[in-house]
Amino acid sequence: MDTDDFSFALPAFKPDEALVKLRRDLRDAGLVEREGRFERRGTAIAKVAVDGAVIQAAIVKRPSRSSPEWTGKTLKNSAEVRDFVADLKKKLAVWSDSVD
């Protein structure tokens, strides 16, 4: 009988706690939270909210003051939250380069 079983359970995803960290990460990326959205220079960039056991998140396809088009994503674990923040930071860098 083999007792070298190294499997373990990942910690349960706590969307409320993850949302607090996600909001902090978005503010650290230079965004300002206003009316449930995160903006840069008055333009909506992202929005996040807890929906049951997951976080519903969205990033604009292109920054637009009039009517932004959103790309939604469901974040079900901490790795997906980290990936969302990393993707957002990459997009912010590209948008900053194209605007400056």
Side-chain angles (χ1 to χ4, degrees), residues 11-41:
F13 181 63
K14 298 176 183 171
D16 293 325
E17 292 176 15
L19 183 62
V20 170
K21 182 176 182 339
L22 178 56
R23 284 179 158 157
R24 186 177 326 119
D25 290 343
L26 295 176
R27 286 190 301 269
D28 290 346
L31 301 179
V32 176
E33 188 172 7
R34 188 172 296 138
E35 297 177 6
R37 294 183 186 185
F38 287 84
E39 301 177 348
R40 183 176 67 172
R41 299 181 196 133

Side-chain angles (χ1 to χ4, degrees), residues 2 20 27-28 32-33 40 57 59 72 79 88 92 95 98-99:
D2 189 7
V20 170
R27 286 190 301 269
D28 290 346
V32 176
E33 188 172 7
R40 183 176 67 172
I59 299 176
L88 177 70
L92 285 172
W95 293 332
S98 65
V99 171

